Amino acid sequence: MSGANSMADYWSTLDVDLHLTVDSGAGRRDGLERALREAIRDGRLAAGTRLPSTRTLAAELGVSRGTVSAAFDQLIAEGHLVARQGSGTRVARTAGAVAASHSTNHRRAEPVSIRHDLRSGSPDLSRFPTTAWLRAARSALDRAPRDAFGYGDPRGRIELRTALAEYLGRTRGVLATPDQIVITTGVQQALRLMGRVLAASGNPVMAMEDPYITQFHAAVRGSGPTVVPLPVDEDGAQVDRLNTAEFDGVHAAVVTPSHQFPIGSTLSPARRQELAAWARAGHLVIEDDYDGEFRYDRQPVGAIQGIAPDDVVYLGSASKTLGPGLRLGWMVLPPRWVGPVTEAKLLADHHSETLGQLTLAELITSHGYDRHIRSSRLRYRRRRDLLADRLISRAGRPLTGFTLSGIAAGLHALVRLEPAGLSEAEVLTRATEYGLAIHGLSDMWWSPAGTEHRPQAIVVGYGSPSDGAYPAALDALVRTLSWT
């Protein structure tokens, strides 16, 4: 700590670490008031933060306790601080509003009023298996070796890679050893890694489904390769086009055979065989197993990787089964690609975080992951059925102007709008009026060609609302689509 003759003093509170500059030239009390006021205004002292006692702060700064008390009293009078018996002095809950009133250049954007969320891309986070996850975490930490908390193998923890090799083989028909698996932060990172490796190996052209997740397109393009759009229809990706002149020079193709996003189709058996043959002919298939665990009409479709393991990179994640916030995904690689991808992962971020990997490994080996997926599959099937029932009729009257598709699997459905009914733009406008958040299909096409022939549709995600919020969200959707 600096003495009283310094131009500035610095302190760290007992409750929070905070660098506070007190300008001695302004007078000790005025300088302290100004320093605290600025710390509150710029957010370094957040609303509700408890400040040190006047005695502690006076000792930290080398000033009298009376000086600190006087500064606190002034800021309490201004509404920046509050003092209550037994709870000390804290930053006021309204301090942010008080601070904002002093800024004439700050403009606040009015928030959009969203009361119902049927956007795709997320499971029901309120049903995260907290108890099972905590139990698995405790068990994993009890057995974790010391080196688990240091820098590790860029491929990820051997515990998780071993558990995934068994699980993916048992449930998705994937053929892999732990040495072929690389743990990532999700499918998006996996696509970036593959893009970098392919570009570096002299294969800078990839095919990707269109429509598809736009962030994934951006991830691949940003990693180096040129991307060629691969059209999708009711039977999945049009893989026969990979053998045409349009795709000369394409070395790899990213596909979602189990349940395409956003169309919702499953790759037909004939196309699966054709895609596997294309891969064996010297190409690489990158299989995004998008919500493949959630199939409702029959057993989940097995992975393409299982019929062409030497020519398919399999991608999966826990984003749809548990939650995207875990940042846990995986790649199953043909042996010749393990080394280059591991090197790319090392350069990207060294390795994914460890504690989540150990916990997921324990959850899988204890079969808690299986139990969670089975219960989730039943819950989402009920939601799928309720969605279909509600869109068939309203108060006994049939709803018209659209058709529902892509509901055999996954966490979303496609509502195709008929030309005689509402347009996509009109539906999205009406949805806003009812406080409903949904996605339009138009935003998910990424190639400019043939826009006039593309269907108008909305993508309805039935995974993210809680059980309690889902019925009201469906009410808003029905009102949005009811145009007669």
Side-chain angles (χ1 to χ4, degrees):
M1 294 303 302
S2 303
N5 293 329
S6 300
M7 291 297 295
D9 289 310
Y10 306 89
W11 61 280
S12 297
T13 73
L14 295 181
D15 296 327
V16 296
D17 284 335
L18 177 70
H19 178 71
L20 187 71
T21 301
V22 179
D23 185 357
S24 303
R28 303 299 285 173
R29 172 183 162 181
D30 289 344
L32 177 57
E33 287 177 15
R34 183 179 301 170
L36 287 169
R37 194 180 292 114
E38 289 175 355
I40 293 170
R41 287 176 180 172
D42 64 22
R44 289 181 291 126
L45 275 177
T49 300
R50 182 171 178 171
L51 299 182
S53 67
T54 55
R55 178 181 289 106
T56 298
L57 185 52
E60 289 269 357
L61 295 176
V63 299
S64 71
R65 187 177 179 186
T67 296
V68 177
S69 297
F72 277 17
D73 289 344
Q74 179 60 34
L75 293 175
I76 290 171
E78 293 176 5
H80 291 292
L81 302 178
V82 292
R84 292 188 177 90
Q85 186 76 24
S87 63
T89 302
R90 297 178 182 269
V91 178
R93 294 293 177 184
T94 57
V98 173
S101 67
H102 289 274
S103 175
T104 58
N105 297 321
H106 179 67
R107 299 184 63 185
R108 296 173 57 191
E110 290 299 322
V112 177
S113 177
I114 296 177
R115 300 189 300 278
H116 315 288
D117 194 348
L118 289 177
R119 289 173 292 191
S120 57
S122 178
D124 180 359
L125 301 180
S126 71
R127 300 302 293 264
F128 182 84
T130 304
T131 300
W133 185 263
L134 288 173
R135 186 185 305 116
R138 285 193 293 268
S139 179
L141 287 174
D142 283 343
R143 296 200 303 271
R146 185 175 302 174
D147 66 359
F149 305 103
Y151 290 110
D153 191 327
R155 292 174 298 175
R157 291 296 307 179
I158 185 60
E159 296 90 342
L160 180 55
R161 291 187 284 120
T162 301
L164 283 171
E166 184 278 330
Y167 172 80
L168 295 173
R170 173 168 53 83
T171 65
R172 306 297 297 125
V174 172
L175 303 177
T177 66
D179 288 342
Q180 293 174 252
I181 297 176
V182 172
I183 305 302
T184 68
T185 59
V187 170
Q188 185 165 322
Q189 185 187 49
L191 289 172
R192 285 199 305 270
L193 295 177
M194 284 307 308
R196 291 171 187 164
V197 169
L198 285 166
S201 65
N203 299 290
V205 184
M206 296 173 62
M208 296 185 76
E209 292 177 339
D210 187 27
Y212 188 41
I213 301 171
T214 54
Q215 298 98 312
F216 288 3
H217 289 138
V220 171
R221 290 195 301 270
S223 63
T226 300
V227 179
V228 179
L230 180 62
V232 176
D233 59 26
E234 289 75 10
D235 289 323
Q238 297 177 13
V239 297
D240 58 314
R241 300 180 64 163
L242 293 171
N243 292 311
T244 65
E246 180 184 1
F247 287 85
D248 282 349
V250 171
H251 176 76
V254 180
V255 295
T256 53
S258 297
H259 186 236
Q260 206 277 335
F261 182 88
I263 299 298
S265 52
T266 298
L267 195 65
S268 68
R271 291 186 180 181
R272 286 169 62 90
Q273 293 300 323
E274 189 171 4
L275 181 63
W278 181 81
R280 295 190 193 102
H283 304 98
L284 185 68
V285 168
I286 301 171
E287 179 179 11
D288 175 8
D289 196 18
Y290 188 89
D291 58 26
E293 297 91 346
F294 300 116
R295 184 86 193 187
Y296 308 122
D297 57 344
R298 53 186 168 87
Q299 287 292 319
V301 178
I304 294 285
Q305 193 270 0
I307 60 176
D310 292 332
D311 304 291
V312 175
V313 174
Y314 175 90
L315 310 181
S317 79
S319 294
K320 301 298 182 295
T321 54
L322 293 172
L326 295 179
R327 310 308 299 138
L328 285 172
W330 42 87
M331 310 171 72
V332 178
L333 296 153
R336 69 183 183 275
W337 292 105
V338 173
V341 171
T342 301
E343 179 69 16
K345 173 66 174 176
L346 176 66
L347 295 176
D349 59 7
H350 202 297
H351 62 82
S352 298
E353 65 85 29
T354 297
L355 296 183
Q357 292 186 60
L358 293 173
T359 302
L360 181 57
E362 175 65 24
L363 194 67
I364 292 173
T365 55
S366 67
H367 300 299
Y369 193 62
D370 289 79
R371 289 189 291 272
H372 174 70
I373 288 177
R374 285 199 300 272
S375 64
S376 298
R377 187 184 297 132
L378 177 60
R379 181 169 63 257
Y380 294 137
R381 178 174 180 169
R382 289 170 176 166
R383 292 190 184 186
R384 187 279 309 263
D385 293 345
L386 183 58
L387 169 67
D389 290 343
R390 291 297 306 276
L391 292 186
I392 290 173
S393 67
R394 180 188 185 191
R397 296 174 53 198
L399 292 172
T400 59
F402 61 87
T403 57
L404 190 64
S405 63
I407 62 173
L411 303 180
H412 76 277
L414 190 70
V415 178
R416 294 178 179 264
L417 304 172
E418 298 174 358
L422 295 169
S423 69
E424 185 177 315
E426 289 172 327
V427 169
L428 294 176
T429 298
R430 288 169 61 91
T432 301
E433 295 171 356
Y434 290 114
L436 173 65
I438 51 177
H439 288 141
L441 181 62
S442 295
D443 292 337
M444 299 173 188
W445 301 94
W446 60 276
S447 63
T451 55
E452 67 276 9
H453 302 299
R454 290 172 175 169
Q456 300 231 332
I458 59 171
V459 182
V460 178
Y462 50 85
S464 59
S466 66
D467 290 341
Y470 187 56
L474 288 185
D475 288 342
L477 177 64
V478 169
R479 289 194 296 270
T480 296
L481 294 172
S482 299
W483 64 286
T484 59

